[in-house]
Amino acid sequence: MYRFVAALLAVASCASIVQAQTVVSPPDSAPPFTLDRALDAAGASSPSLEAADAGVRAASAARTVAGLRPNPEVQMDVENVAGSGPYSGTQNAEITTGLALPIELGGKRSARIAVADSRSLRARLEAAIALADLRERVTQAYIAAAAAERRMEIAGQLANFADEGFRAASTRVTAGAASPIEQQRADVQRVNANVTLDRARREAAVARENLGRLIGEPVAGPLDSGWFDRVGGYGPTRPASAAGTLVLAAAEADVATASAQVRLARSQRIPNVTLSAGARRLSATGDTAAVFGVSIPFPLFNSGRAALSQAQAERQAVDAKRRVTVLDTEQAIAAAQAELANAAATARSTGGPALAAASEAARIARIGYAQGRFSQLDLLDAERTLADTRGAFVDALVAYHDAEARLAHLTTPAPDVAGATP
């Protein structure tokens, strides 16, 4: 067996290197359904983006509400009525009508506006995060669909090889050149290959349907196999840094919101003043007099100190979470970079020399078995090696594109939303 494999590899090394692609897709008149097209379709129909847009509009409305001043109050008092003696009727009634105007002190309005502005910024960042999350999900679904169809094509080729092997075994058994057990073994392999092909077809159909559900439209036409087979060059990795990324901008926006909450809690400790002015009519004499008043709450039970302590503790917690986010993001970026480089190297190896050698070895084994030069076990071993190499190539491509998508998601730059009007 080892001499046979060595001979096959020696012959394969002299053969021309085949292209690093497991299956050549048949020509199709329809243009390929590209990843960019899937991303555009998902962006036009995604409920997550719709929810994020609603959140931005809600934050904009909250900003308007935060800038409003307290409403004035119209007051009316009636005194000295429905009593006894001279006050049993309304002849001695005193009617007071006036207007009360609350005056906010301590910068409460500007503090509310600061909180609303920081929340509005956070809402716009949430919209950008929702878009980045959607792009990653669509990309992963596209990768799964492309890989499933590639595995279906590989299973179809293996089924064809099994059919050819069964016919060759039947011919050799009929000619008396092989034992009937070889025909039975080839028949078992053919049945198993067809079962594997059926399973691969169902998995490919489900993966394509899941992609269609995610983007909101049916996936028509072939997928972009050229994109799936493409492995870009990947040189030295850049230092893993969370600076300027979307996830760090969101964490910093949370810190800004918490700081604004501290400012608001501090302003709440200063009591507001309510000024009132009105006119009082004395029914007994028909005279009218002006009435003025000032109302100032006395912070006896609630001085606002506990609320301020709570806001300060929450700001410390959010700031600590921001530092944790930086560490986690940089670790995830470094891990994605390493996985991307490893997957690229594996894809180039399995899809290049290894796949070329396994393909040539399987071809020689099929020819040699039909001519009676190699045993059936040699043929099965060569075809199993080819199947494993093709599967490893697809797995490496999936790992490469998945790592590429995760790295793109982790390093998504923060949009310039600080100066946007809410």
Side-chain angles (χ1 to χ4, degrees), residues 152-396:
M152 181 186 67
E153 294 173 0
I154 295 174
Q157 282 196 348
L158 292 179
N160 292 335
F161 294 159
D163 290 339
E164 294 176 2
F166 176 75
R167 288 192 296 269
S170 300
T171 301
R172 294 187 61 184
V173 170
T174 302
S179 169
I181 194 64
E182 291 191 9
Q183 184 178 4
Q184 296 296 325
R185 188 184 293 117
D187 190 31
V188 171
Q189 185 185 17
R190 180 175 61 89
V191 171
N192 292 336
N194 289 328
V195 171
T196 302
L197 176 59
D198 291 339
R199 182 173 63 250
R201 285 172 177 167
R202 287 189 292 270
E203 292 175 352
V206 170
R208 181 177 281 255
E209 291 172 359
N210 287 338
L211 177 60
R213 293 188 186 97
L214 184 59
I215 66 177
E217 69 176 48
V219 180
L223 299 179
D224 191 356
S225 60
W227 172 85
F228 185 70
D229 291 331
R230 191 177 303 117
V231 178
Y234 207 77
T237 59
R238 295 176 298 176
S241 175
T245 61
L246 182 58
V247 63
L248 180 57
E252 291 175 344
D254 291 337
V255 175
T257 301
S259 299
Q261 291 281 11
V262 172
R263 176 186 171 187
L264 179 61
R266 185 176 289 112
S267 68
Q268 295 291 343
R269 299 193 63 189
I270 301 177
N272 295 333
V273 175
T274 302
L275 303 179
S276 61
R280 175 174 296 175
R281 183 180 182 277
L282 305 176
S283 299
T285 61
D287 295 328
T288 302
V291 178
F292 299 97
V294 177
S295 176
I296 302 176
F298 184 65
L300 178 61
F301 302 108
N302 182 10
S303 64
R305 180 177 298 177
L308 178 59
S309 299
Q310 177 186 359
Q312 290 174 340
E314 290 176 350
R315 181 182 61 182
Q316 292 175 356
V318 171
D319 186 66
K321 290 180 180 179
R322 181 193 64 83
R323 296 195 299 269
V324 171
T325 299
V326 172
L327 295 177
D328 292 344
T329 302
E330 291 180 348
Q331 289 177 354
I333 291 175
Q337 288 176 339
E339 184 175 349
L340 182 64
N342 293 336
T346 303
R348 292 191 184 97
S349 175
T350 56
L355 181 59
S359 300
E360 186 66 13
R363 185 187 70 84
I364 295 173
R366 286 191 294 272
I367 296 175
Y369 175 72
Q371 296 176 354
R373 297 180 179 180
F374 301 132
S375 69
Q376 188 184 44
L377 294 179
D378 295 333
L379 174 62
L380 294 177
D381 183 67
E383 291 186 345
R384 186 182 301 109
T385 301
L386 176 60
D388 292 342
T389 305
R390 285 174 169 168
F393 180 45
V394 174
D395 292 341

Side-chain angles (χ1 to χ4, degrees), residues 124-126 128-130 132 242 244-251 409-415:
R124 293 193 293 273
L125 289 174
E126 281 291 339
I129 291 173
T245 61
L246 182 58
V247 63
L248 180 57
H409 181 270
L410 290 169
T411 58
T412 300

Side-chain angles (χ1 to χ4, degrees), residues 45-122:
S45 62
S46 173
S48 61
L49 297 186
E50 184 178 354
D53 180 69
V56 172
R57 288 185 279 110
S60 177
R63 167 62 174 79
T64 302
V65 172
L68 299 178
R69 300 181 184 276
N71 290 322
E73 298 179 2
V74 176
Q75 299 175 342
M76 182 175 180
D77 295 331
V78 180
E79 301 178 12
N80 299 333
V81 295
S84 59
Y87 304 106
S88 60
T90 61
Q91 64 275 11
N92 291 321
E94 296 182 3
I95 302 174
T96 304
T97 58
L99 185 67
L101 180 63
I103 304 297
E104 291 185 313
L105 301 178
K108 294 182 179 64
R109 179 172 175 269
S110 60
R112 287 198 309 271
I113 293 176
V115 173
D117 284 340
S118 60
R119 288 177 175 172
S120 181
L121 173 62
R122 187 63 168 86

